[in-house]
CSV table of all heavy atoms in Angstrom, one decimal:
chain,number,residue,atom,x,y,z
A,135,VAL,N,-3.5,26.0,-2.9
A,135,VAL,CA,-4.4,26.7,-2.1
A,135,VAL,C,-3.7,27.4,-1.0
A,135,VAL,O,-2.6,27.0,-0.5
A,135,VAL,CB,-5.4,25.6,-1.4
A,135,VAL,CG1,-4.7,24.6,-0.6
A,135,VAL,CG2,-6.4,26.3,-0.5
A,173,VAL,N,-8.7,29.6,0.8
A,173,VAL,CA,-9.6,29.4,1.9
A,173,VAL,C,-9.4,30.5,2.9
A,173,VAL,O,-8.3,30.7,3.4
A,173,VAL,CB,-9.3,28.0,2.6
A,173,VAL,CG1,-10.2,27.9,3.9
A,173,VAL,CG2,-9.6,26.9,1.7
A,187,ASP,N,-15.6,28.8,7.3
A,187,ASP,CA,-14.5,29.0,6.4
A,187,ASP,C,-15.0,29.0,4.9
A,187,ASP,O,-16.0,28.3,4.6
A,187,ASP,CB,-13.5,27.9,6.5
A,187,ASP,CG,-12.9,27.7,7.9
A,187,ASP,OD1,-12.9,28.8,8.6
A,187,ASP,OD2,-12.5,26.6,8.3
A,189,LEU,N,-14.2,28.7,0.9
A,189,LEU,CA,-13.3,28.2,-0.2
A,189,LEU,C,-13.7,28.9,-1.5
A,189,LEU,O,-14.9,28.9,-1.9
A,189,LEU,CB,-13.4,26.7,-0.4
A,189,LEU,CG,-12.7,26.1,-1.6
A,189,LEU,CD1,-11.2,26.2,-1.5
A,189,LEU,CD2,-13.1,24.6,-1.7
A,198,PHE,N,-17.8,26.1,4.6
A,198,PHE,CA,-17.6,24.9,5.5
A,198,PHE,C,-17.9,25.4,7.0
A,198,PHE,O,-17.2,26.3,7.5
A,198,PHE,CB,-16.2,24.4,5.4
A,198,PHE,CG,-15.9,23.8,4.0
A,198,PHE,CD1,-15.4,24.7,3.1
A,198,PHE,CD2,-16.1,22.5,3.7
A,198,PHE,CE1,-15.1,24.2,1.8
A,198,PHE,CE2,-15.8,22.1,2.4
A,198,PHE,CZ,-15.3,22.9,1.5
A,215,PHE,N,-4.8,22.9,10.5
A,215,PHE,CA,-5.8,22.9,9.4
A,215,PHE,C,-5.1,22.8,8.1
A,215,PHE,O,-5.5,22.0,7.2
A,215,PHE,CB,-6.6,24.2,9.5
A,215,PHE,CG,-7.6,24.4,8.4
A,215,PHE,CD1,-8.8,23.6,8.4
A,215,PHE,CD2,-7.5,25.3,7.4
A,215,PHE,CE1,-9.7,23.8,7.5
A,215,PHE,CE2,-8.4,25.5,6.4
A,215,PHE,CZ,-9.6,24.7,6.5
A,219,ILE,N,-5.2,19.7,5.3
A,219,ILE,CA,-5.6,19.8,3.8
A,219,ILE,C,-4.5,19.1,3.0
A,219,ILE,O,-4.8,18.4,2.1
A,219,ILE,CB,-5.7,21.3,3.4
A,219,ILE,CG1,-6.9,21.9,4.1
A,219,ILE,CG2,-5.8,21.4,1.9
A,219,ILE,CD1,-7.0,23.4,3.9
A,228,ASP,N,-9.9,15.5,-3.7
A,228,ASP,CA,-10.0,16.7,-4.4
A,228,ASP,C,-10.1,17.9,-3.4
A,228,ASP,O,-10.2,17.6,-2.2
A,228,ASP,CB,-11.2,16.8,-5.4
A,228,ASP,CG,-12.6,16.7,-4.7
A,228,ASP,OD1,-12.7,17.2,-3.5
A,228,ASP,OD2,-13.5,16.1,-5.3
A,229,ILE,N,-10.0,19.1,-3.8
A,229,ILE,CA,-9.8,20.2,-2.9
A,229,ILE,C,-11.0,20.3,-1.9
A,229,ILE,O,-10.8,20.6,-0.7
A,229,ILE,CB,-9.6,21.6,-3.6
A,229,ILE,CG1,-9.2,22.7,-2.6
A,229,ILE,CG2,-10.7,21.9,-4.5
A,229,ILE,CD1,-7.9,22.5,-1.9
A,230,LYS,N,-12.2,20.2,-2.4
A,230,LYS,CA,-13.4,20.3,-1.5
A,230,LYS,C,-13.4,19.2,-0.5
A,230,LYS,O,-13.7,19.5,0.7
A,230,LYS,CB,-14.7,20.3,-2.4
A,230,LYS,CG,-14.9,21.6,-3.2
A,230,LYS,CD,-16.3,21.6,-3.8
A,230,LYS,CE,-16.5,22.9,-4.6
A,230,LYS,NZ,-17.8,22.9,-5.3
A,231,ALA,N,-13.1,18.0,-0.9
A,231,ALA,CA,-13.1,16.9,0.1
A,231,ALA,C,-12.0,17.1,1.1
A,231,ALA,O,-12.1,16.8,2.3
A,231,ALA,CB,-12.9,15.6,-0.7
A,232,ALA,N,-10.8,17.6,0.6
A,232,ALA,CA,-9.7,17.8,1.5
A,232,ALA,C,-10.0,18.9,2.5
A,232,ALA,O,-9.6,18.7,3.7
A,232,ALA,CB,-8.4,18.1,0.7
A,233,VAL,N,-10.6,20.0,2.1
A,233,VAL,CA,-11.0,21.0,3.0
A,233,VAL,C,-12.1,20.6,4.0
A,233,VAL,O,-12.0,20.9,5.2
A,233,VAL,CB,-11.4,22.3,2.3
A,233,VAL,CG1,-11.9,23.4,3.2
A,233,VAL,CG2,-10.2,22.9,1.5
A,234,LYS,N,-13.0,19.8,3.5
A,234,LYS,CA,-14.1,19.3,4.4
A,234,LYS,C,-13.5,18.4,5.5
A,234,LYS,O,-13.9,18.5,6.6
A,234,LYS,CB,-15.1,18.5,3.5
A,234,LYS,CG,-16.3,17.9,4.3
A,234,LYS,CD,-17.2,17.2,3.4
A,234,LYS,CE,-18.4,16.7,4.2
A,234,LYS,NZ,-18.1,15.6,5.1
A,235,GLN,N,-12.6,17.5,5.1
A,235,GLN,CA,-12.0,16.6,6.1
A,235,GLN,C,-11.1,17.5,7.1
A,235,GLN,O,-11.2,17.2,8.3
A,235,GLN,CB,-11.1,15.6,5.4
A,235,GLN,CG,-10.3,14.7,6.3
A,235,GLN,CD,-9.5,13.7,5.6
A,235,GLN,OE1,-10.0,12.6,5.4
A,235,GLN,NE2,-8.2,14.0,5.2
A,236,ALA,N,-10.4,18.5,6.5
A,236,ALA,CA,-9.6,19.3,7.4
A,236,ALA,C,-10.5,20.1,8.4
A,236,ALA,O,-10.1,20.3,9.6
A,236,ALA,CB,-8.7,20.2,6.6
A,237,LYS,N,-11.6,20.5,7.9
A,237,LYS,CA,-12.5,21.3,8.8
A,237,LYS,C,-13.0,20.4,10.0
A,237,LYS,O,-13.1,20.8,11.1
A,237,LYS,CB,-13.7,21.8,8.0
A,237,LYS,CG,-14.7,22.7,8.8
A,237,LYS,CD,-14.1,24.0,9.3
A,237,LYS,CE,-15.1,24.9,9.9
A,237,LYS,NZ,-14.5,26.1,10.4
A,238,GLU,N,-13.4,19.1,9.6
A,238,GLU,CA,-13.8,18.2,10.6
A,238,GLU,C,-12.6,17.9,11.6
A,238,GLU,O,-12.8,17.7,12.8
A,238,GLU,CB,-14.3,16.9,10.0
A,238,GLU,CG,-15.5,17.1,9.1
A,238,GLU,CD,-15.9,15.8,8.3
A,238,GLU,OE1,-15.1,14.9,8.3
A,238,GLU,OE2,-16.9,15.8,7.7
Side-chain angles (χ1 to χ4, degrees):
V135 59
V173 176
D187 301 334
L189 170 68
F198 298 87
F215 180 71
I219 294 175
D228 63 33
I229 186 66
K230 288 186 180 180
V233 174
K234 180 178 183 293
Q235 176 176 268
K237 184 66 170 176
E238 295 171 354

